[in-house]
Structure formats: structure tokens, C-alpha cells
Amino acid sequence: MKWLEKSTSLIRFIRPAIVVVIVLLISLGLVDFVIRWSILIFHPVLIFSDFYSIVDDLFSLLLLYEVLDLLRSLSPIRLLDLLLTIFARKLLLSTGNPSLSQYMWVFAIVFLLRILWVKLGVEKSKSDPHP
């Protein structure tokens, strides 16, 4: 029984530790983004030549936030949001990729699943008087 208590306390420690690490990564990522792309203030034309790099950095920060939100809520909708963000990143950043249509189909299917999940969940909660 003692090992069960230790494992339970370890599990209670893991999730907040992961959240702290992700928050630190988001903070460092934001500082890095501002430092790296502050040159755009003085040379805005560079946004056209470095567009994919900027979008990649923004998607990296967004993915970290999505993972943090998923850990906070542990919701299937947040998991679908994370998957949609990953596929949107893949679609936007893969130029000239022959398998782009496959990614588009997967994105569409996951998007439809998310819509159905929200619709069915909302209707169920409206019809159920006791949440």
C-alpha cells in the first residue's frame, strides 16, 4: 500500500510539473519570437521573404499553447483542436507537396468530427436537466 501512496503523489506532481515546463517554453518562445522578428519593424519588406519562417514560429507557439490547454481541460474537443492545428500547420507550410490532398482530407475529416462532437455534446447538455 505504501507504493500506491507514493505513485499517487508522484502522479499529482507530474501534471503540474509538465504545465510549468510548457509555460516556461511558451515564455521563452515569445521572447525568442520578439527578438528574432523585431527586425520587421525596421524592414517590413522582409515579411515576404521570411513568411514561412514567421508562420512556423507562430504555429510552434500556438501548438505549445494548445498542449497546455489540453492538459488543463483534458477535453476531447481540445485534442481535436490540437490535431486541427497540426494539420493546418502542415497544410500551410508544405508547398508543392504531392501528398497535400491527403492532408486536406484528414483535416476535413477531423474538422467534421469536431463539429459533430460539439453539436452532439451541446444537444445532450441542453436535453439533460442534470449536468
Side-chain angles (χ1 to χ4, degrees), residues 1-9:
M1 283 305 215
K2 200 168 200 169
W3 63 272
L4 183 62
E5 293 171 9
K6 287 184 179 182
S7 64
T8 306
S9 65

Side-chain angles (χ1 to χ4, degrees), residues 74-91:
L74 295 176
S75 166
I77 292 175
R78 296 295 173 224
L79 179 60
L80 290 174
D81 287 345
L82 179 66
L83 290 174
L84 284 171
T85 305
I86 290 170
F87 286 120
R89 178 184 186 185
K90 190 75 165 171
L91 286 171

Side-chain angles (χ1 to χ4, degrees), residues 13-126:
F13 172 75
I14 289 174
R15 187 171 169 194
I18 291 173
V19 168
V20 166
V21 168
I22 291 175
V23 168
L24 287 173
L25 286 173
I26 290 173
S27 302
L28 287 173
L30 285 172
V31 169
D32 178 55
F33 183 82
V34 168
I35 289 171
R36 183 182 302 176
W37 299 113
S38 63
I39 193 168
L40 292 175
I41 295 171
F42 304 110
H43 305 289
V45 76
L46 290 177
I47 199 165
F48 297 111
S49 62
D50 293 329
F51 177 74
Y52 289 108
S53 300
I54 295 169
V55 170
D56 188 36
D57 289 347
L58 285 173
F59 266 115
S60 297
L61 290 171
L62 182 62
L63 284 174
L64 281 172
Y65 176 75
E66 291 281 341
V67 169
L68 180 66
D69 196 31
L70 177 65
L71 284 173
R72 186 179 53 84
S73 65
L74 295 176
S75 166
I77 292 175
R78 296 295 173 224
L79 179 60
L80 290 174
D81 287 345
L82 179 66
L83 290 174
L84 284 171
T85 305
I86 290 170
F87 286 120
R89 178 184 186 185
K90 190 75 165 171
L91 286 171
L92 187 64
L93 296 177
S94 0
T95 55
N97 191 348
S99 63
L100 199 59
S101 63
Q102 293 173 349
Y103 293 127
M104 184 62 98
W105 280 108
V106 171
F107 181 84
I109 290 169
V110 172
F111 187 68
L112 287 174
L113 284 173
R114 188 193 186 289
I115 290 173
L116 287 173
W117 192 283
V118 169
K119 273 288 201 198
L120 295 176
V122 169
E123 289 176 9
K124 181 183 173 195
S125 67
K126 284 181 182 176

